[in-house]
Amino acid sequence: MSRNKYYEIYLTLKQKIMSEAYPKNELLPSENAMAKEYGVSRETIRKALDYLSQDGLIQKKQGLGSIVLNPSLFNFPISGLTSFKELADTQEMNAQTIVLRNETIKVDEILSKKLMLPVGKEVIAIERVREIDGQRVIYDYDYLSPEVTGEIPNERLEYSLYDYLENEQHLPIAFANKEITVENVTEDDRAQMTLRDEDNHLVVISSHVYLENARYFQFSESRHRVDRFRFVDFSRRQHSLTERPF
């Protein structure tokens, strides 16, 4: 089978879905019809459909066909401190959070550089994956000061960490220093996320988070599949007092 052929068909079908030539909640043409249209085998069509399914653009139903899902990208605000729960609610995501790890550890030399904490310092290490439409598209690491937060129940992590900290622990979360990078996919990413063969990079947002009294209490690293999110911000141009705009 030619990779170029099924990949070309995949890109063509993806473009039609994104442009709503194939509307959401409607069926794609049958495999037989598309095989005839593109002059290829059903196996080639199935491979193209597999790629669309991995993108979260279609859902295959036995005996029915391939249903087009909502093709829109989710907006991920960069400048604000928005929890995943708030993001999921405002954008009506079919989402859930799965807790992989929640334990107290001691900072080693590698973590010390990332967290800006001394070696041997105790932190709460949390790992979670965010599942949208049945696909694990975000992988989150959080390291928190147990002196500030205390132990955090898993069920609260599944719902919303910030809801727990603000509404039950009454911690005034104020601001964060953020860094956005594009990084290579790791073995852990492959093991925990729903990634496609061509997914070799992730968008990574790292944050050092502070309370109102400027106390540093959290480091977070959020690793995103590149095809599911649009990273947005609002910027205003600053003029000096002596500068005259055109």
Side-chain angles (χ1 to χ4, degrees):
M1 183 191 307
S2 168
R3 168 184 162 83
N4 289 339
K5 192 62 179 176
Y6 70 69
Y7 197 74
E8 178 183 322
I9 294 170
Y10 151 72
L11 292 176
T12 299
L13 294 174
K14 182 174 183 178
Q15 191 280 327
K16 288 184 176 181
I17 291 173
M18 298 302 290
S19 67
E20 299 188 6
Y22 292 135
K24 65 180 180 181
N25 300 323
E26 298 292 329
L27 286 172
L28 288 180
S30 69
E31 291 180 4
N32 284 334
M34 287 192 286
K36 184 175 181 180
E37 178 182 354
Y38 292 104
V40 296
S41 67
R42 286 184 63 185
E43 183 183 359
T44 299
I45 294 298
R46 287 195 193 102
K47 185 66 175 178
L49 294 178
D50 285 342
Y51 270 59
L52 291 175
S53 179
Q54 291 174 30
D55 281 352
L57 294 175
I58 65 169
Q59 181 177 4
K60 293 183 177 181
K61 291 287 188 179
Q62 186 70 30
L64 187 61
S66 298
I67 300 173
V68 177
L69 301 177
N70 190 341
S72 61
L73 297 176
F74 295 111
N75 288 333
F76 198 103
I78 297 171
S79 57
L81 269 174
T82 305
S83 72
F84 180 76
K85 172 65 175 170
E86 293 165 338
L87 190 69
D89 287 347
T90 56
Q91 301 193 45
E92 299 181 346
M93 297 178 184
N94 175 25
Q96 68 171 321
T97 294
I98 301 165
V99 179
L100 304 176
R101 183 189 190 196
N102 179 14
E103 62 180 348
T104 300
I105 64 170
K106 290 188 177 181
V107 172
D108 60 19
E109 290 186 3
I110 296 176
L111 276 180
S112 177
K113 295 177 181 178
K114 182 178 288 189
L115 274 55
M116 300 190 308
L117 292 174
V119 173
K121 178 77 172 178
E122 284 195 345
V123 293
I124 299 173
I126 297 167
E127 292 181 29
R128 293 175 290 176
V129 288
R130 316 295 195 163
E131 188 173 278
I132 302 175
D133 296 328
Q135 296 196 332
R136 296 182 172 193
V137 295
I138 304 176
Y139 188 9
D140 282 345
Y141 295 85
D142 291 284
Y143 299 92
L144 298 110
S145 169
E147 300 166 358
V148 176
T149 67
E151 293 184 3
I152 305 170
N154 276 2
E155 59 268 22
R156 302 302 287 126
L157 292 173
E158 291 172 351
Y159 182 76
S160 171
L161 170 61
Y162 277 13
D163 179 79
Y164 174 75
L165 295 180
E166 291 178 323
N167 296 321
E168 294 192 30
Q169 299 295 87
H170 307 293
L171 294 172
I173 302 170
F175 63 94
N177 294 325
K178 292 189 176 184
E179 179 180 86
I180 303 171
T181 57
V182 176
E183 298 184 9
N184 291 331
V185 168
T186 67
E187 290 184 6
D188 284 343
D189 295 329
R190 292 269 179 212
Q192 301 298 344
M193 300 178 71
T194 307
L195 298 179
R196 306 161 299 171
D197 292 342
E198 68 270 28
D199 284 324
N200 296 314
H201 299 89
L202 300 174
V203 175
V204 180
I205 302 178
S206 301
S207 304
H208 292 88
V209 189
Y210 299 79
L211 301 176
E212 280 185 356
N213 61 5
R215 184 175 185 180
Y216 168 49
F217 80 100
Q218 178 194 19
F219 173 83
S220 70
E221 180 178 293
S222 191
R223 305 173 68 81
H224 305 77
R225 214 174 84 174
V226 297
D227 64 308
R228 297 307 304 272
F229 299 94
R230 179 190 295 110
F231 297 89
V232 296
D233 195 4
F234 173 79
S235 300
R236 186 186 300 278
R237 177 165 169 76
Q238 299 295 321
H239 296 279
S240 68
L241 294 177
T242 58
E243 182 181 2
R244 292 184 179 180
F246 289 175

